[in-house]
PDB file of all heavy atoms in Angstrom:
ATOM      1  N   GLY M1474     -23.545  75.332  25.177  1.00 98.00           N
ATOM      2  CA  GLY M1474     -22.573  74.265  24.931  1.00 98.00           C
ATOM      3  C   GLY M1474     -23.102  72.882  25.194  1.00 98.00           C
ATOM      4  O   GLY M1474     -22.345  71.888  25.097  1.00 98.00           O
ATOM      5  N   GLU M1475     -24.395  72.751  25.502  1.00 97.00           N
ATOM      6  CA  GLU M1475     -24.991  71.447  25.812  1.00 97.00           C
ATOM      7  C   GLU M1475     -24.953  70.512  24.595  1.00 97.00           C
ATOM      8  O   GLU M1475     -25.309  70.892  23.479  1.00 97.00           O
ATOM      9  CB  GLU M1475     -26.443  71.639  26.248  1.00 97.00           C
ATOM     10  CG  GLU M1475     -27.182  70.366  26.571  1.00 97.00           C
ATOM     11  CD  GLU M1475     -26.941  69.865  27.978  1.00 97.00           C
ATOM     12  OE1 GLU M1475     -26.378  70.631  28.795  1.00 97.00           O
ATOM     13  OE2 GLU M1475     -27.342  68.719  28.276  1.00 97.00           O
ATOM     14  N   ASP M1476     -24.485  69.283  24.819  1.00 97.00           N
ATOM     15  CA  ASP M1476     -24.565  68.241  23.801  1.00 97.00           C
ATOM     16  C   ASP M1476     -25.887  67.506  23.982  1.00 97.00           C
ATOM     17  O   ASP M1476     -26.275  67.158  25.098  1.00 97.00           O
ATOM     18  CB  ASP M1476     -23.422  67.243  23.936  1.00 97.00           C
ATOM     19  CG  ASP M1476     -22.056  67.863  23.710  1.00 97.00           C
ATOM     20  OD1 ASP M1476     -21.993  68.985  23.158  1.00 97.00           O
ATOM     21  OD2 ASP M1476     -21.056  67.232  24.095  1.00 97.00           O
ATOM     22  N   ILE M1477     -26.585  67.261  22.896  1.00 96.00           N
ATOM     23  CA  ILE M1477     -27.825  66.493  22.943  1.00 96.00           C
ATOM     24  C   ILE M1477     -27.580  65.182  22.204  1.00 96.00           C
ATOM     25  O   ILE M1477     -27.440  65.159  20.979  1.00 96.00           O
ATOM     26  CB  ILE M1477     -28.990  67.272  22.326  1.00 96.00           C
ATOM     27  CG1 ILE M1477     -29.244  68.546  23.152  1.00 96.00           C
ATOM     28  CG2 ILE M1477     -30.242  66.419  22.257  1.00 96.00           C
ATOM     29  CD1 ILE M1477     -30.369  69.414  22.640  1.00 96.00           C
ATOM     30  N   GLY M1478     -27.492  64.104  22.980  1.00 94.00           N
ATOM     31  CA  GLY M1478     -27.085  62.836  22.407  1.00 94.00           C
ATOM     32  C   GLY M1478     -25.677  62.963  21.868  1.00 94.00           C
ATOM     33  O   GLY M1478     -24.764  63.407  22.565  1.00 94.00           O
ATOM     34  N   ALA M1479     -25.508  62.607  20.603  1.00 95.00           N
ATOM     35  CA  ALA M1479     -24.199  62.706  19.972  1.00 95.00           C
ATOM     36  C   ALA M1479     -23.990  64.039  19.245  1.00 95.00           C
ATOM     37  O   ALA M1479     -22.967  64.228  18.591  1.00 95.00           O
ATOM     38  CB  ALA M1479     -24.022  61.549  18.989  1.00 95.00           C
ATOM     39  N   VAL M1480     -24.962  64.941  19.367  1.00 96.00           N
ATOM     40  CA  VAL M1480     -24.904  66.212  18.654  1.00 96.00           C
ATOM     41  C   VAL M1480     -24.193  67.246  19.533  1.00 96.00           C
ATOM     42  O   VAL M1480     -24.733  67.697  20.554  1.00 96.00           O
ATOM     43  CB  VAL M1480     -26.305  66.705  18.278  1.00 96.00           C
ATOM     44  CG1 VAL M1480     -26.213  67.997  17.467  1.00 96.00           C
ATOM     45  CG2 VAL M1480     -27.051  65.629  17.492  1.00 96.00           C
ATOM     46  N   ALA M1481     -22.978  67.609  19.143  1.00 97.00           N
ATOM     47  CA  ALA M1481     -22.159  68.508  19.953  1.00 97.00           C
ATOM     48  C   ALA M1481     -22.660  69.940  19.880  1.00 97.00           C
ATOM     49  O   ALA M1481     -23.020  70.436  18.805  1.00 97.00           O
ATOM     50  CB  ALA M1481     -20.708  68.440  19.493  1.00 97.00           C
ATOM     51  N   ASP M1482     -22.680  70.609  21.034  1.00 97.00           N
ATOM     52  CA  ASP M1482     -23.011  72.034  21.128  1.00 97.00           C
ATOM     53  C   ASP M1482     -24.350  72.366  20.486  1.00 97.00           C
ATOM     54  O   ASP M1482     -24.531  73.447  19.906  1.00 97.00           O
ATOM     55  CB  ASP M1482     -21.906  72.886  20.497  1.00 97.00           C
ATOM     56  CG  ASP M1482     -20.582  72.771  21.237  1.00 97.00           C
ATOM     57  OD1 ASP M1482     -20.601  72.372  22.416  1.00 97.00           O
ATOM     58  OD2 ASP M1482     -19.537  73.077  20.638  1.00 97.00           O
ATOM     59  N   ALA M1483     -25.295  71.461  20.600  1.00 96.00           N
ATOM     60  CA  ALA M1483     -26.633  71.753  20.088  1.00 96.00           C
ATOM     61  C   ALA M1483     -27.291  72.852  20.920  1.00 96.00           C
ATOM     62  O   ALA M1483     -28.037  73.673  20.405  1.00 96.00           O
ATOM     63  CB  ALA M1483     -27.499  70.493  20.117  1.00 96.00           C
ATOM     64  N   GLY M1484     -26.998  72.845  22.220  1.00 97.00           N
ATOM     65  CA  GLY M1484     -27.513  73.892  23.100  1.00 97.00           C
ATOM     66  C   GLY M1484     -28.873  73.560  23.682  1.00 97.00           C
ATOM     67  O   GLY M1484     -29.604  72.692  23.202  1.00 97.00           O
ATOM     68  N   GLY M1485     -29.198  74.284  24.737  1.00 97.00           N
ATOM     69  CA  GLY M1485     -30.488  74.125  25.395  1.00 97.00           C
ATOM     70  C   GLY M1485     -30.705  75.258  26.365  1.00 97.00           C
ATOM     71  O   GLY M1485     -29.882  76.169  26.508  1.00 97.00           O
ATOM     72  N   ALA M1486     -31.821  75.223  27.046  1.00 97.00           N
ATOM     73  CA  ALA M1486     -32.135  76.221  28.072  1.00 97.00           C
ATOM     74  C   ALA M1486     -33.017  75.576  29.120  1.00 97.00           C
ATOM     75  O   ALA M1486     -33.739  74.608  28.852  1.00 97.00           O
ATOM     76  CB  ALA M1486     -32.845  77.433  27.457  1.00 97.00           C
ATOM     77  N   VAL M1487     -32.938  76.101  30.334  1.00 97.00           N
ATOM     78  CA  VAL M1487     -33.717  75.596  31.456  1.00 97.00           C
ATOM     79  C   VAL M1487     -34.495  76.747  32.072  1.00 97.00           C
ATOM     80  O   VAL M1487     -33.954  77.838  32.263  1.00 97.00           O
ATOM     81  CB  VAL M1487     -32.811  74.939  32.514  1.00 97.00           C
ATOM     82  CG1 VAL M1487     -33.543  74.743  33.829  1.00 97.00           C
ATOM     83  CG2 VAL M1487     -32.281  73.603  32.007  1.00 97.00           C
ATOM     84  N   VAL M1488     -35.762  76.502  32.382  1.00 96.00           N
ATOM     85  CA  VAL M1488     -36.576  77.462  33.125  1.00 96.00           C
ATOM     86  C   VAL M1488     -36.654  77.004  34.576  1.00 96.00           C
ATOM     87  O   VAL M1488     -37.084  75.882  34.859  1.00 96.00           O
ATOM     88  CB  VAL M1488     -37.991  77.586  32.546  1.00 96.00           C
ATOM     89  CG1 VAL M1488     -38.799  78.609  33.349  1.00 96.00           C
ATOM     90  CG2 VAL M1488     -37.954  77.978  31.078  1.00 96.00           C
ATOM     91  N   LEU M1489     -36.218  77.862  35.499  1.00 96.00           N
ATOM     92  CA  LEU M1489     -36.396  77.644  36.931  1.00 96.00           C
ATOM     93  C   LEU M1489     -37.564  78.513  37.366  1.00 96.00           C
ATOM     94  O   LEU M1489     -37.528  79.739  37.220  1.00 96.00           O
ATOM     95  CB  LEU M1489     -35.133  78.017  37.709  1.00 96.00           C
ATOM     96  CG  LEU M1489     -33.840  77.316  37.294  1.00 96.00           C
ATOM     97  CD1 LEU M1489     -32.683  77.781  38.157  1.00 96.00           C
ATOM     98  CD2 LEU M1489     -33.983  75.797  37.377  1.00 96.00           C
ATOM     99  N   TRP M1490     -38.608  77.900  37.915  1.00 95.00           N
ATOM    100  CA  TRP M1490     -39.853  78.609  38.173  1.00 95.00           C
ATOM    101  C   TRP M1490     -39.814  79.320  39.524  1.00 95.00           C
ATOM    102  O   TRP M1490     -39.329  78.786  40.521  1.00 95.00           O
ATOM    103  CB  TRP M1490     -41.032  77.644  38.114  1.00 95.00           C
ATOM    104  CG  TRP M1490     -41.156  77.005  36.762  1.00 95.00           C
ATOM    105  CD1 TRP M1490     -40.733  75.766  36.390  1.00 95.00           C
ATOM    106  CD2 TRP M1490     -41.687  77.618  35.586  1.00 95.00           C
ATOM    107  NE1 TRP M1490     -40.987  75.553  35.047  1.00 95.00           N
ATOM    108  CE2 TRP M1490     -41.574  76.665  34.531  1.00 95.00           C
ATOM    109  CE3 TRP M1490     -42.250  78.860  35.313  1.00 95.00           C
ATOM    110  CZ2 TRP M1490     -42.000  76.937  33.243  1.00 95.00           C
ATOM    111  CZ3 TRP M1490     -42.686  79.126  34.020  1.00 95.00           C
ATOM    112  CH2 TRP M1490     -42.564  78.174  32.993  1.00 95.00           C
ATOM    113  N   GLY M1491     -40.342  80.553  39.568  1.00 95.00           N
ATOM    114  CA  GLY M1491     -40.443  81.300  40.795  1.00 95.00           C
ATOM    115  C   GLY M1491     -41.564  80.780  41.679  1.00 95.00           C
ATOM    116  O   GLY M1491     -42.588  80.288  41.173  1.00 95.00           O
ATOM    117  N   THR M1492     -41.375  80.898  42.971  1.00 94.00           N
ATOM    118  CA  THR M1492     -42.355  80.440  43.960  1.00 94.00           C
ATOM    119  C   THR M1492     -42.308  81.392  45.161  1.00 94.00           C
ATOM    120  O   THR M1492     -41.415  82.252  45.239  1.00 94.00           O
ATOM    121  CB  THR M1492     -42.028  79.024  44.459  1.00 94.00           C
ATOM    122  OG1 THR M1492     -40.893  79.087  45.344  1.00 94.00           O
ATOM    123  CG2 THR M1492     -41.725  78.066  43.321  1.00 94.00           C
ATOM    124  N   PRO M1493     -43.235  81.261  46.124  1.00 95.00           N
ATOM    125  CA  PRO M1493     -43.152  82.102  47.321  1.00 95.00           C
ATOM    126  C   PRO M1493     -41.838  81.945  48.068  1.00 95.00           C
ATOM    127  O   PRO M1493     -41.457  82.836  48.843  1.00 95.00           O
ATOM    128  CB  PRO M1493     -44.333  81.625  48.167  1.00 95.00           C
ATOM    129  CG  PRO M1493     -45.313  81.081  47.171  1.00 95.00           C
ATOM    130  CD  PRO M1493     -44.472  80.457  46.110  1.00 95.00           C
ATOM    131  N   LYS M1494     -41.137  80.841  47.858  1.00 94.00           N
ATOM    132  CA  LYS M1494     -39.849  80.625  48.510  1.00 94.00           C
ATOM    133  C   LYS M1494     -38.678  80.944  47.581  1.00 94.00           C
ATOM    134  O   LYS M1494     -37.523  80.683  47.918  1.00 94.00           O
ATOM    135  CB  LYS M1494     -39.748  79.185  49.007  1.00 94.00           C
ATOM    136  CG  LYS M1494     -40.750  78.857  50.112  1.00 94.00           C
ATOM    137  CD  LYS M1494     -40.554  77.434  50.619  1.00 94.00           C
ATOM    138  CE  LYS M1494     -41.534  77.129  51.749  1.00 94.00           C
ATOM    139  NZ  LYS M1494     -41.355  75.739  52.268  1.00 94.00           N
ATOM    140  N   GLY M1495     -38.956  81.511  46.422  1.00 96.00           N
ATOM    141  CA  GLY M1495     -37.907  81.848  45.478  1.00 96.00           C
ATOM    142  C   GLY M1495     -37.752  80.805  44.398  1.00 96.00           C
ATOM    143  O   GLY M1495     -38.637  79.962  44.175  1.00 96.00           O
ATOM    144  N   LEU M1496     -36.635  80.843  43.706  1.00 95.00           N
ATOM    145  CA  LEU M1496     -36.395  79.893  42.628  1.00 95.00           C
ATOM    146  C   LEU M1496     -36.241  78.482  43.176  1.00 95.00           C
ATOM    147  O   LEU M1496     -35.683  78.262  44.249  1.00 95.00           O
ATOM    148  CB  LEU M1496     -35.133  80.263  41.855  1.00 95.00           C
ATOM    149  CG  LEU M1496     -35.179  81.535  41.017  1.00 95.00           C
ATOM    150  CD1 LEU M1496     -33.848  81.737  40.300  1.00 95.00           C
ATOM    151  CD2 LEU M1496     -36.319  81.498  40.002  1.00 95.00           C
ATOM    152  N   THR M1497     -36.713  77.530  42.382  1.00 89.00           N
ATOM    153  CA  THR M1497     -36.556  76.141  42.755  1.00 89.00           C
ATOM    154  C   THR M1497     -36.203  75.323  41.526  1.00 89.00           C
ATOM    155  O   THR M1497     -36.690  75.602  40.422  1.00 89.00           O
ATOM    156  CB  THR M1497     -37.853  75.588  43.391  1.00 89.00           C
ATOM    157  OG1 THR M1497     -37.712  74.186  43.607  1.00 89.00           O
ATOM    158  CG2 THR M1497     -39.065  75.826  42.487  1.00 89.00           C
ATOM    159  N   GLY M1498     -35.345  74.350  41.715  1.00 83.00           N
ATOM    160  CA  GLY M1498     -35.024  73.450  40.611  1.00 83.00           C
ATOM    161  C   GLY M1498     -36.117  72.440  40.378  1.00 83.00           C
ATOM    162  O   GLY M1498     -36.185  71.810  39.325  1.00 83.00           O
ATOM    163  N   SER M1499     -37.003  72.264  41.366  1.00 83.00           N
ATOM    164  CA  SER M1499     -38.071  71.287  41.251  1.00 83.00           C
ATOM    165  C   SER M1499     -38.958  71.585  40.043  1.00 83.00           C
ATOM    166  O   SER M1499     -39.401  72.724  39.841  1.00 83.00           O
ATOM    167  CB  SER M1499     -38.917  71.292  42.517  1.00 83.00           C
ATOM    168  OG  SER M1499     -40.005  70.411  42.416  1.00 83.00           O
ATOM    169  N   ALA M1500     -39.196  70.578  39.259  1.00 81.00           N
ATOM    170  CA  ALA M1500     -40.061  70.693  38.081  1.00 81.00           C
ATOM    171  C   ALA M1500     -39.552  71.720  37.079  1.00 81.00           C
ATOM    172  O   ALA M1500     -40.316  72.331  36.347  1.00 81.00           O
ATOM    173  CB  ALA M1500     -41.494  71.025  38.488  1.00 81.00           C
ATOM    174  N   GLY M1501     -38.237  71.930  37.032  1.00 91.00           N
ATOM    175  CA  GLY M1501     -37.669  72.802  36.026  1.00 91.00           C
ATOM    176  C   GLY M1501     -38.015  72.325  34.630  1.00 91.00           C
ATOM    177  O   GLY M1501     -38.207  71.128  34.387  1.00 91.00           O
ATOM    178  N   THR M1502     -38.118  73.252  33.696  1.00 94.00           N
ATOM    179  CA  THR M1502     -38.534  72.931  32.330  1.00 94.00           C
ATOM    180  C   THR M1502     -37.360  73.014  31.372  1.00 94.00           C
ATOM    181  O   THR M1502     -36.593  73.986  31.388  1.00 94.00           O
ATOM    182  CB  THR M1502     -39.636  73.903  31.873  1.00 94.00           C
ATOM    183  OG1 THR M1502     -40.778  73.740  32.709  1.00 94.00           O
ATOM    184  CG2 THR M1502     -40.032  73.648  30.422  1.00 94.00           C
ATOM    185  N   TRP M1503     -37.216  72.008  30.545  1.00 95.00           N
ATOM    186  CA  TRP M1503     -36.146  71.937  29.554  1.00 95.00           C
ATOM    187  C   TRP M1503     -36.641  72.462  28.216  1.00 95.00           C
ATOM    188  O   TRP M1503     -37.752  72.124  27.776  1.00 95.00           O
ATOM    189  CB  TRP M1503     -35.662  70.498  29.400  1.00 95.00           C
ATOM    190  CG  TRP M1503     -34.672  70.327  28.278  1.00 95.00           C
ATOM    191  CD1 TRP M1503     -34.894  69.823  27.035  1.00 95.00           C
ATOM    192  CD2 TRP M1503     -33.289  70.687  28.315  1.00 95.00           C
ATOM    193  NE1 TRP M1503     -33.747  69.846  26.280  1.00 95.00           N
ATOM    194  CE2 TRP M1503     -32.749  70.373  27.035  1.00 95.00           C
ATOM    195  CE3 TRP M1503     -32.457  71.239  29.277  1.00 95.00           C
ATOM    196  CZ2 TRP M1503     -31.411  70.593  26.731  1.00 95.00           C
ATOM    197  CZ3 TRP M1503     -31.137  71.464  28.971  1.00 95.00           C
ATOM    198  CH2 TRP M1503     -30.616  71.140  27.704  1.00 95.00           C
ATOM    199  N   LEU M1504     -35.833  73.272  27.528  1.00 95.00           N
ATOM    200  CA  LEU M1504     -36.143  73.768  26.188  1.00 95.00           C
ATOM    201  C   LEU M1504     -34.987  73.444  25.258  1.00 95.00           C
ATOM    202  O   LEU M1504     -33.817  73.553  25.636  1.00 95.00           O
ATOM    203  CB  LEU M1504     -36.362  75.282  26.204  1.00 95.00           C
ATOM    204  CG  LEU M1504     -37.483  75.829  27.076  1.00 95.00           C
ATOM    205  CD1 LEU M1504     -37.435  77.355  27.063  1.00 95.00           C
ATOM    206  CD2 LEU M1504     -38.834  75.341  26.594  1.00 95.00           C
ATOM    207  N   GLN M1505     -35.307  73.071  24.030  1.00 94.00           N
ATOM    208  CA  GLN M1505     -34.294  72.871  23.006  1.00 94.00           C
ATOM    209  C   GLN M1505     -34.900  73.190  21.655  1.00 94.00           C
ATOM    210  O   GLN M1505     -36.110  73.382  21.518  1.00 94.00           O
ATOM    211  CB  GLN M1505     -33.769  71.436  23.021  1.00 94.00           C
ATOM    212  CG  GLN M1505     -34.780  70.387  22.601  1.00 94.00           C
ATOM    213  CD  GLN M1505     -34.225  68.977  22.709  1.00 94.00           C
ATOM    214  OE1 GLN M1505     -33.777  68.552  23.765  1.00 94.00           O
ATOM    215  NE2 GLN M1505     -34.266  68.242  21.596  1.00 94.00           N
ATOM    216  N   SER M1506     -34.062  73.263  20.658  1.00 91.00           N
ATOM    217  CA  SER M1506     -34.525  73.589  19.313  1.00 91.00           C
ATOM    218  C   SER M1506     -35.278  72.415  18.688  1.00 91.00           C
ATOM    219  O   SER M1506     -35.006  71.252  18.983  1.00 91.00           O
ATOM    220  CB  SER M1506     -33.326  73.958  18.430  1.00 91.00           C
ATOM    221  OG  SER M1506     -33.736  74.172  17.098  1.00 91.00           O
TER     222      SER M1506
END
């Protein structure tokens, strides 16, 4: 349901990277079409 700029429901995805301390939001990666 992510809006990208004025484009409604374009969508996206986020990668949360695993580490020795578990998942972290730090340096998460954004993906879109």
Side-chain angles (χ1 to χ4, degrees):
E1475 179 83 12
D1476 297 344
I1477 297 179
V1480 183
D1482 296 339
V1487 165
V1488 180
L1489 304 180
W1490 299 100
T1492 74
K1494 294 183 179 180
L1496 291 181
T1497 174
S1499 177
T1502 297
W1503 173 258
L1504 300 174
Q1505 68 183 56
S1506 175

